[in-house]
Structure formats: C-alpha cells, structure tokens
Amino acid sequence: MPTVTTEGARPADRLGDRLNELVGQRLRRWSRNRAAELARAEPESPRVDVRLVTDSTAYLPESLVTAHRIEVVPLHVVVAGREHVEGRDITAAQVAEALHEYTIVTTSRPSPAVFAEVYARLAAEGATHIVSVHLSSQMSGTYEAATLAAAEASVPVVAIDSETIGMAMGFAVVAGAECAGRGGDLEAVLAAVNSRLGPSSVTFYVHTLEHLRRGGRIGAASALLGSALAIKPILSVRDGRIVPVEKVRTSSRAIARLVALAVEQAEASGVAVDIAVHHLDSADRAETVATQLRERVRGARSVLVLELGAVVGAHVGPGTVAVAVSPRAGDVLEPRDAGVDPL
C-alpha cells in the first residue's frame, strides 16, 4: 500500500493560491478606486445662499442690517436744489428743519444701474439668489428700477413690491434674512417675506396734509384737504396707497386713536407681533405711544422706536407719528382666560 505524504501542498497548488490572492487584492483595489470615482461623480446638493436687499425707506436699525447681511439701497433727497443720499449725508432733523422753513424738498429713486451694481457684487460674494424688497410702487419708482436691474443680473433676482413702507416692510425683510441664515432656499425665503407683508399694517398721524399734497402722495386722502385746518387726520397704507382712516379734532385724540387702532390690529391677528413706532421730530410722542403699546399689546415680541428718515419725512412732515404692526405667522398666542367659574 503506497505511503500518503501530508507534508505541505504541492508546488502547483501553492502557485494557484498565490495567483488567487493577487487577483483578489487587485479586485479589491479596483473596487475601492471605482467607489471613489463614483462618489466624486455623484452631484452634490447645490449650495444655496439667498441674500436680501431692500431700500432705505424700511428704516431698519443698523444692528439688524449687520446681523442679517441685509443690503440697503438708499433713496435720494433734494433740498433747495442740492441732492443728498438718505442715511449718508443728510439727517431727518435737517429735513424737518428745511420743511419748517418752507424750503423745497423733493425725493428721487435709485437708478437701475445702482441696483445692477449691488446685485453683481452680491453674486461675486457668493449669492446664488437675491430677494429684493421695496417700498410701494404707488409711492416710488424704486421697485421698477429694481425690476429692470433684476432682468439683467447674473443670478436669479426676485423683486417684490411690498405695497407698504417703513418697518412694515423692514420686519418682512428681516424674516426673510433669518430664513436665509438658517439655510432656507429661495422658495422658503419668499414664503417668509410674504407671510409678514400680507397681514402687516401702517397707520399714522400727520400734523398737516400739506406735505403729502405737495409730494403728490396723498391719494384718496385728498378728500380731507377741504377741512385740513379743522381736523387731525389718521391715515393708513392699504394696497400700496395712502388712504384716510379717521379724522379727529385734536392731536391728543389722534394719538390716542393711533394707539387704539394698533392694539386692535395686533389683537385681530391672533398671533404675536412686532411693532415699530416711527416719528419725525416727535420723539416724546413716539415714546409715549411705544410705552402704551408695550403695556396693552400682550403679544408684542418687540416694540421699537425709530425716526423716519429724510425721504418719507419729506412727504409726511414734522410731527408725524406712525405705527407699523407686523404679525408673526405661526407664533400663535394662547387664548385669553375665559374667566369661567368652576362648578
């Protein structure tokens, strides 16, 4: 009977094992390299950087502009034939003084070229989309200038006619910028802006209608001109136009009604609100209004006191006090205590 040798494998077997090992190594190496190639070829999620642009009539506090990377395009004011840039080389106090002295004051919009430069710069900084929100087109050609520039921009630009002014517009711009800061895409940012613009309101008292008349911004409120000397008008911005709300006999009653109307608007929204009290050359009255609103509006998340700038100031005149109420969509208030006695 032949002897069976178990000492190691035959040379041919060892060679086959070695070849299999080399082939396996090469296959594993190819698989790793191919996976890396596919990973590189797979499209990444597009980077989104939506930037917000507005104009100087929003009267946004500088702290909010800086914190949310908001770009503000200034309007211009012409006093006695000399042109000034709002917020840069003329103050609201200087405009108020000029109006007191019956100096001719007019305003003008930014040119499309100014907007084009802003959009190009933001695109160069990495913006993938731009949302440009501006004061009512019924009051200014600013929105039109933005729209013309948007058509030629290198990135998508959505220009929005806010149909309002002041912080009724400003709060909406901040809401959009906050959404963009959280990584929101264009659709989300537009929804955030529009959710604040739609229910917002601006109600204001002017000492005289004369400045609105001179500037041609009086709209439906022109019906009050015949009795302008005998009344103190309360006006509002609706659908982009200035319209009359009420007329009272004294300034103190007008301010009281201004507060009452703002409280009604805030409560009717059913959600928390942001409020801004604007004024021109009437700081004490504005502070009084703000104090009352802080006490009476239970859902007020913020109540700011901000001076109107030169452009709007030129049209409404010294002594103006305005209240902008901006409901916060989704920030629902708890219902008031019903006061039902227990059984």
Side-chain angles (χ1 to χ4, degrees):
M1 186 174 179
T3 302
V4 178
T5 304
T6 59
E7 184 181 319
R10 289 177 298 174
D13 294 334
R14 289 195 297 271
L15 179 60
D17 291 343
R18 180 59 179 161
L19 288 173
N20 287 337
E21 182 181 350
L22 290 173
V23 170
Q25 289 176 350
R26 290 194 175 187
L27 284 172
R28 288 191 293 273
R29 187 181 302 116
W30 178 87
S31 180
R32 289 194 298 269
N33 291 340
R34 181 59 179 162
E37 290 175 4
L38 291 174
R40 287 193 296 270
E42 185 176 342
E44 298 179 358
S45 299
R47 183 186 64 84
V48 175
D49 183 12
V50 184
R51 293 292 298 274
L52 273 292
V53 177
T54 189
D55 59 71
S56 55
T57 66
Y59 300 121
L60 281 164
E62 189 61 35
S63 58
L64 293 178
V65 171
T66 301
H68 299 294
R69 300 193 306 156
I70 298 168
E71 193 73 21
V72 178
V73 178
L75 274 70
H76 292 196
V77 182
V78 180
V79 179
R82 182 179 177 184
E83 188 168 10
H84 304 270
V85 179
E86 182 170 43
R88 293 184 186 174
D89 58 7
I90 189 169
T91 66
Q94 289 172 319
V95 168
E97 182 180 357
L99 292 171
H100 279 304
E101 296 174 353
Y102 299 99
T103 302
I104 296 176
V105 180
T106 59
T107 60
S108 63
R109 72 174 192 181
S111 69
V114 170
F115 281 106
E117 187 278 328
V118 170
Y119 298 155
R121 175 164 49 80
L122 294 182
E125 292 175 3
T128 59
H129 303 80
I130 296 170
V131 176
S132 202
V133 186
H134 301 289
L135 80 158
S136 171
S137 62
Q138 303 291 333
M139 302 179 189
S140 168
T142 301
Y143 166 72
E144 179 187 5
T147 300
L148 291 172
E152 305 297 328
S154 62
V155 297
V157 179
V158 179
I160 296 176
D161 178 357
S162 72
E163 295 190 339
T164 190
I165 200 166
M167 282 298 288
M169 174 172 69
F171 285 128
V173 172
V174 171
E178 288 176 339
C179 179
R182 295 191 295 268
D185 60 12
L186 178 63
E187 184 178 354
V189 171
L190 290 174
V193 171
N194 289 320
S195 72
R196 298 295 288 270
L197 285 178
S200 69
S201 63
V202 178
T203 308
F204 59 105
Y205 154 80
V206 294
H207 185 66
T208 173
L209 291 169
E210 180 61 19
H211 302 293
L212 283 168
R213 184 193 66 77
R214 289 179 185 176
R217 266 67 172 187
I218 196 167
S222 60
L224 300 177
L225 281 172
S227 57
L229 294 177
I231 60 100
K232 297 299 180 184
I234 298 175
L235 309 171
S236 181
V237 178
R238 294 178 185 167
D239 299 323
R241 298 178 180 273
I242 296 174
V243 297
V245 176
E246 293 182 11
K247 51 185 180 180
V248 295
R249 294 293 179 183
T250 66
S251 297
S252 59
R253 289 182 181 179
I255 295 299
R257 282 301 294 153
L258 193 63
V259 172
L261 289 169
V263 172
E264 290 174 13
Q265 291 157 358
E267 292 295 328
S269 72
V271 296
V273 298
D274 291 310
I275 297 174
V277 182
H278 292 293
H279 73 93
L280 180 64
D281 196 29
S282 195
D284 291 342
R285 276 182 177 165
E287 289 291 349
T288 298
V289 169
T291 298
Q292 293 181 29
L293 291 174
R294 292 186 186 104
E295 294 171 350
R296 296 177 59 181
V297 179
R298 65 190 180 100
R301 296 289 185 253
S302 63
V303 179
L304 307 177
V305 177
L306 302 168
E307 189 167 31
L308 288 170
V311 169
V312 173
H315 293 291
V316 295
T320 296
V321 177
V323 180
V325 178
S326 178
R328 291 172 164 247
D331 192 351
V332 180
L333 297 175
E334 293 295 327
R336 289 184 183 275
D337 182 5
V340 178
D341 293 331
L343 296 177

